[in-house]
Amino acid sequence: MAVAEDLEVSRFLREQPKKLFIGGRWIESASGKTFDTLDPSSGEVLAKVAEAGAEDIDRAVAAARRSFESGVWRDLPPAERAKVLWRIGDLIEERALEFAQLDSLDNGMPINDALLFYVPLAAATFRYYAGWVTKLDGATQQVSLPGRYLSYTLRQPVGVVGQIIPWNFPIVMAAWKLAPALACGNSVVLKPAEETPLSALLLAELMQQAEVPDGVANVVPGPGETAGARLASHPDVDKIAFTGSTQVGKLIAKASADSNLKRVSLELGGKSPNIVFADADLTQAVSGAFFGMFLNQGQVCSAGSRLFVQSKVYDRTLEELVKTVEETRLGPGIDPVNQMGPVVSKAQMDRVLGYIAVGNQEGARVIAGGGRAKELGPGYFVQPTVFADVDGKMRIAQEEIFGPVVAAIPFEDEDDLIEKANSTIYGLAAGVWTTNVKRAHRVAHALRAGTVFVNCYHIVDPVTPWGGFKQSGWGRELGPQALDLYTELKNVILDIS
Ligand code: NDP
């Protein structure tokens, strides 16, 4: 284990292997198996982690079910539940440096991004949903039938919730899932991604410290094909919330249909258009094109990976973008001088390099990057890459690469643009850069995307509903909309005549 001893997080990492958190206890997996989680900047083992299999998922679901039926959490006075959630937010903030170091080491992300944006967003998400606990109100209905009736609605927790998350923003993904589910009184089994299980385990420690009752929040790292699949098809799980690829999202929906028709919400992939009109402030638009694409090494579901630029300013915009890319400092994320880190794994690096080869074969032109940053050693570093003169039908313009590769596509006018921008199977996000306010709204209305950023990109807050059109998913997380995902609406009708 090659982690520097002077990091704040070394104490947490010292205890090996990391165990599963089930029913309020830290336990080995039933099989005794562990897996290695790697530091992608070196390829070395960062930690050994107990590997949950189907039997462990069954144990975690049983613990969640017991806690749910006992009422220990769902029947707690709302203000008490709210205090616990608020306290989790506080504890995340107190341990912010450790979370940032863990996600930087495990995922590869720049430590400053983790510390300044992602960890605070995770804390803010718990606090935001702490505020909702006391406001899960129903309504009354005016019944027009003969006689007198009192009709009202209640919001009740769905029950046992399974949650499966990806590796790209580990602590943020865990918070987006756990906070609203717990706020609504559910009991949860969370399966983090195998590549990045560590910050969710630290979060489990803090949830226990904040006095989330035993069995209410269980954290079980393990492979998707076994642990994840068991959770998705488990007959005693009432709802599954999944974030990941569209391909696996379809398996989750099928597993629900083939088992107990558990409720399903899906936050899936994207191939988002980031659109620069000739009337945009080009300095802002170029930095938005860079940030929209290369944040977190492009491993962002909403990455602006199709950069549409109006022909009149196409050459100038790309020239400026290439300059910015070339000035970017690539290196291990844990070193605060670096602005971009490695991609998360060798498999991810091979996938991204494979797509760069596809782009070359398809006849697109590399104008920046275009390969592995070999000078940085054995870590999984891919140069930020810009393809120019991309045709919208090429695979690099249609398929989600999930790495630092942007496809620049010229367009002539608004009509031409809208058709091109909407022509993928995805509909997660989009960006529009223009100084014309009418155009901004017109285009925002016409784009088939769950979120449209105008003259900004990647602005995400606990209040902003998040999710996609088309094959980018089902449902909306964050905002009050997430409460719909984690509650059942019950109608009670009394004859009061
Ligand atoms: P995957 O779909 O491969 O994996 C996501 C999660 O699903 C992981 O925990 C994985 O486990 C698990 N999983 C894999 N196979 C199965 C299965 N058969 N049954 C149940 N669970 C399974 O996605 P990635 O981790 O590669 O993440 C990248 C994808 O996530 C991209 O497509 C990206 O766009 C999307 N994403 C979407 C977001 C959104 O908000 N819309 C946000 C972030 C990412 P394991 O990896 O441990 O095997």
Side-chain angles (χ1 to χ4, degrees):
M1 321 278 163
V3 177
E5 270 304 301
D6 57 348
L7 288 182
E8 281 68 11
V9 83
S10 1
R11 184 201 58 78
F12 173 79
L13 284 172
R14 213 165 287 136
E15 184 208 308
Q16 299 272 344
K18 307 307 300 174
K19 295 186 182 157
L20 309 176
F21 187 64
I22 297 178
R25 291 169 45 231
W26 293 95
I27 56 177
E28 308 285 356
S29 61
S31 65
K33 276 199 213 164
T34 60
F35 66 95
D36 294 337
T37 183
L38 307 183
D39 173 351
S41 69
S42 64
E44 288 181 19
V45 176
L46 183 59
K48 285 196 175 300
V49 180
E51 178 180 314
E55 204 179 320
D56 302 297
I57 296 296
D58 290 353
R59 291 198 282 180
V61 170
R65 174 59 62 192
R66 273 192 305 276
S67 73
F68 184 74
E69 298 305 337
S70 75
V72 64
W73 178 245
R74 66 177 164 145
D75 293 341
L76 208 61
E80 294 302 312
R81 278 211 316 272
K83 267 196 223 161
V84 173
L85 288 190
W86 192 273
R87 175 93 181 108
I88 298 171
D90 285 349
L91 289 169
I92 292 175
E93 212 166 70
E94 282 169 26
R95 310 275 294 267
L97 197 50
E98 284 170 82
F99 276 110
Q101 289 172 350
L102 269 187
D103 276 358
S104 175
L105 288 167
D106 213 7
N107 162 282
M109 61 177 58
I111 179 98
N112 284 337
D113 294 354
L115 195 57
L116 296 176
F117 304 113
Y118 312 145
V119 179
L121 176 57
T125 303
F126 276 98
R127 293 201 179 115
Y128 173 73
Y129 285 104
W132 273 111
V133 179
T134 49
K135 299 161 195 75
L136 294 171
D137 297 334
T140 56
Q141 294 82 34
Q142 308 246 32
V143 176
S144 298
L145 294 169
R148 291 182 69 196
Y149 296 94
L150 170 62
S151 173
Y152 64 91
T153 52
L154 295 173
R155 275 187 182 274
Q156 297 189 324
V158 179
V160 172
V161 173
Q163 304 186 315
I164 301 177
I165 56 174
W167 41 259
N168 60 340
F169 293 103
I171 189 59
V172 174
M173 292 293 107
W176 284 19
K177 289 281 180 284
L178 287 162
L182 294 176
C184 294
N186 298 283
S187 291
V188 179
V189 177
L190 175 81
K191 191 206 88 64
E194 259 176 296
E195 284 89 349
T196 56
L198 297 176
S199 55
L201 292 171
L202 178 57
L203 182 59
E205 210 176 285
L206 303 197
M207 288 192 289
Q208 193 167 37
Q209 210 179 323
E211 297 182 6
V212 174
D214 292 350
V216 170
N218 305 275
V219 179
V220 281
E225 295 73 19
T226 50
R230 176 63 182 158
L231 196 54
S233 62
H234 201 292
D236 201 28
V237 169
D238 299 299
K239 184 215 156 43
I240 193 105
F242 172 80
T243 297
S245 60
T246 294
Q247 194 190 358
V248 176
K250 290 181 182 180
L251 297 178
I252 302 288
K254 186 165 186 316
S256 161
D258 289 344
S259 56
N260 59 343
L261 270 188
K262 52 180 70 65
R263 280 90 186 93
V264 176
S265 50
L266 302 171
E267 300 293 341
L268 307 177
K271 191 75 187 175
S272 300
N274 197 3
I275 302 158
V276 180
F277 283 97
D279 62 15
D281 173 330
L282 277 196
T283 308
Q284 260 190 25
V286 168
S287 79
F290 176 83
F291 178 67
M293 180 61 237
F294 296 111
L295 179 77
N296 209 26
Q297 298 66 251
Q299 303 165 129
V300 185
C301 49
S302 50
S305 52
R306 289 181 298 147
L307 179 63
F308 288 96
V309 187
Q310 202 160 15
S311 301
K312 274 181 261 179
V313 293
Y314 182 78
D315 289 337
R316 191 146 56 98
T317 304
L318 292 199
E319 230 169 77
E320 292 300 316
L321 179 63
V322 168
K323 261 193 233 157
T324 314
V325 166
E326 285 170 350
E327 283 162 8
T328 303
R329 194 164 168 152
L330 195 59
I334 197 72
D335 183 341
V337 300
N338 293 321
Q339 296 157 306
M340 265 180 77
V343 297
V344 75
S345 63
K346 176 161 187 316
Q348 194 62 16
M349 179 177 73
D350 291 345
R351 174 189 163 95
V352 176
L353 295 176
Y355 270 108
I356 293 176
V358 166
N360 284 321
Q361 283 154 19
E362 287 179 311
R365 187 164 54 94
V366 171
I367 56 170
R372 184 172 180 179
K374 293 200 187 93
E375 69 283 5
L376 292 171
Y380 313 131
F381 293 96
V382 179
Q383 295 166 331
T385 296
V386 182
F387 272 109
D389 305 343
V390 176
D391 179 288
K393 294 194 179 61
M394 289 178 181
R395 281 183 62 198
I396 57 164
Q398 287 290 321
E399 297 174 22
E400 183 178 48
I401 299 174
F402 219 58
V405 181
V406 67
I409 308 172
F411 72 92
E412 293 307 322
D413 56 34
E414 230 174 279
D415 292 337
D416 167 44
L417 174 269
I418 297 295
E419 199 198 322
K420 284 180 172 169
N422 283 337
S423 70
T424 72
I425 61 166
Y426 298 110
L428 189 59
V432 182
W433 299 86
T434 177
T435 49
N436 178 330
V437 73
K438 290 188 182 179
R439 167 173 288 147
H441 287 289
R442 249 188 342 256
V443 174
H445 288 211
L447 289 168
R448 306 247 304 137
T451 298
V452 180
F453 302 109
V454 179
N455 295 330
C456 61
Y457 211 94
H458 289 323
I459 299 299
V460 181
D461 185 271
V463 303
T464 52
W466 187 255
F469 282 34
K470 300 193 273 181
Q471 293 190 39
S472 287
W474 288 348
R476 294 292 179 273
E477 295 196 316
L478 302 186
Q481 287 75 12
L483 305 171
D484 294 333
L485 304 181
Y486 292 106
T487 52
E488 291 279 11
L489 197 67
K490 179 178 284 179
N491 188 195
V492 181
I493 306 169
L494 278 79
D495 181 342
I496 53 168
S497 59

